[in-house]
Amino acid sequence: MTNFMYIFCLIVWGLNFIAVKIQGTPVSLELSLTYRLVITAFLFGLLAWLMKPQGKPQQHDFPFIIVFGICNFAFSYLALYYATMLSSAAIVTLIFSLKVILTPIALRIFLKEPLHRRVLIGGTLGVIGVGVLIYPTLHSFSGLADLKGVLIALLGTVLTAIGDASSARNAKRQIDPIYANAIGFTVGSVVMCGIVWIQGQKIVLPTSITYLSALLYLTIIASFLAWLFYLKLVEKIGGAKSGYMVALFPVIGGIASVVIGESTLNLYLIIGCLSSCIGAAIALGFQFKPFLRGTKTSSPS
């Protein structure tokens, strides 16, 4: 069961931006994201109500949970949605894997946690991977759009890292992650509803199979079920080993991008994805030995 949950999370999250690409833009990205956040907030709220776990947040914890919700679920998701449309899902997935480098940096800045040398080494390889992957596109007509996509994806990943730092603070306060996610997704929903309202958008739900299937995938499978499986993985094998899957996201995203015809299989794609994977693995402190069957380790800082 552990192996199944690990592979499930790896594949589902690795295909996140492919699903965003398939969903497309029959309505604005803001409205699509609002639908996703509202549904997920309802699911986590229902789960919190049914389970009633310990570790309820106190009043002084709410500002940090709000930051977590805004950064991780509202603004970072929106930036990554736009980046996926401007660039390729493979590039966005690769850039998002840089969170394994950016999150420790955010933890160092905001929580004064030590920054290991391996993070800098892995980060260098990750940046090289991104550069190799986007280099061919800079010579094409779409190069400017790809470059904009890269910068927006980087912004979204930085926001995610800030949200992760806030989440780490909440974890140290022993706030149950089900409460944190229920409140975080609710805050993200409110923010996105506000943006949609300010823009004066008409609320329309596309009924195409492509759109609805992608929406259900992003909400129920990617934002809810995969996250619950990840919690069980952290409980069984520890947060550090569970986090290794991030290192393989570029490979999953790259292969899927080729399969749907968005990207062309070439040497740049292969080298870029491999460099990013190796960099992420180094930053995470990956040890090359079997790790799905092992003793529980502590969660990563």
Side-chain angles (χ1 to χ4, degrees):
M1 187 62 179
T2 300
N3 290 342
F4 168 77
M5 290 190 295
Y6 198 96
I7 294 172
F8 181 89
C9 292
L10 170 63
I11 294 176
V12 166
W13 283 337
L15 296 176
N16 239 342
F17 303 114
I18 295 293
V20 172
K21 198 80 169 186
I22 292 174
Q23 187 178 35
T25 55
V27 294
S28 71
L29 294 175
E30 290 83 357
L31 187 56
S32 290
L33 179 55
T34 300
Y35 289 144
R36 176 182 180 179
L37 296 184
V38 168
I39 295 172
T40 309
F42 172 78
L43 292 174
F44 273 111
L46 181 62
L47 184 66
W49 179 72
L50 292 174
M51 294 184 63
K52 295 180 173 62
Q54 296 181 347
K56 287 186 177 181
Q58 303 301 313
Q59 186 174 357
H60 58 269
D61 296 319
F62 279 92
F64 298 95
I65 300 178
I66 290 172
V67 170
F68 166 64
I70 292 175
C71 289
N72 269 53
F73 302 136
F75 292 155
S76 68
Y77 276 15
L78 185 59
L80 293 166
Y81 269 45
Y82 269 99
T84 303
M85 295 304 160
L86 288 169
S87 185
S88 71
I91 290 177
V92 176
T93 303
L94 189 150
I95 293 173
F96 186 71
S97 70
L98 293 177
K99 76 186 290 292
V100 301
I101 297 107
L102 295 174
T103 294
I105 293 175
L107 291 172
R108 172 62 179 173
I109 294 172
F110 297 109
L111 300 182
K112 308 304 180 184
E113 294 191 3
L115 183 63
H116 298 287
R117 183 181 301 175
R118 67 172 186 269
V119 173
L120 301 178
I121 297 173
T124 301
L125 286 173
V127 171
I128 290 174
V130 173
V132 169
L133 188 57
I134 68 172
Y135 175 75
T137 68
L138 298 179
H139 299 282
S140 65
F141 180 76
S142 62
L144 183 58
D146 285 325
L147 185 58
K148 287 181 180 178
V150 167
L151 294 176
I152 295 175
L154 185 59
L155 173 62
T157 308
V158 169
L159 289 171
T160 300
I162 295 173
D164 286 347
S166 183
S167 179
R169 181 268 176 197
N170 297 333
K172 287 184 177 182
R173 299 286 300 180
Q174 297 184 334
I175 298 171
D176 191 281
I178 292 178
Y179 287 126
N181 270 32
I183 299 171
F185 273 105
T186 300
V187 170
S189 300
V190 172
V191 170
M192 289 311 305
C193 284
I195 292 175
V196 169
W197 178 74
I198 291 172
Q199 291 178 339
Q201 295 189 33
K202 184 178 180 180
I203 307 301
V204 177
L205 179 63
T207 56
S208 67
I209 295 177
T210 301
Y211 184 88
L212 292 178
S213 59
L215 178 61
L216 291 176
Y217 176 91
L218 290 167
T219 53
I220 297 175
I221 297 178
S223 296
F224 186 69
L225 286 180
W227 186 87
L228 292 179
F229 282 172
Y230 184 77
L231 273 186
K232 294 300 294 183
L233 284 172
V234 171
E235 180 182 320
K236 288 178 177 291
I237 65 175
K241 292 179 179 179
S242 299
Y244 290 158
M245 70 178 69
V246 179
L248 295 176
F249 284 175
V251 171
I252 301 295
I255 292 174
S257 183
V258 171
V259 169
I260 68 173
E262 182 194 37
S263 300
T264 303
L265 183 62
N266 54 46
L267 192 60
Y268 292 105
L269 180 64
I270 295 172
I271 294 176
C273 288
L274 286 179
S275 178
S276 179
C277 288
I278 294 171
I282 292 173
L284 288 165
F286 181 81
Q287 297 178 359
F288 293 92
K289 60 182 180 180
F291 59 89
L292 287 183
R293 297 175 182 175
T295 57
K296 180 180 176 182
T297 62
S298 60
S299 300
S301 298

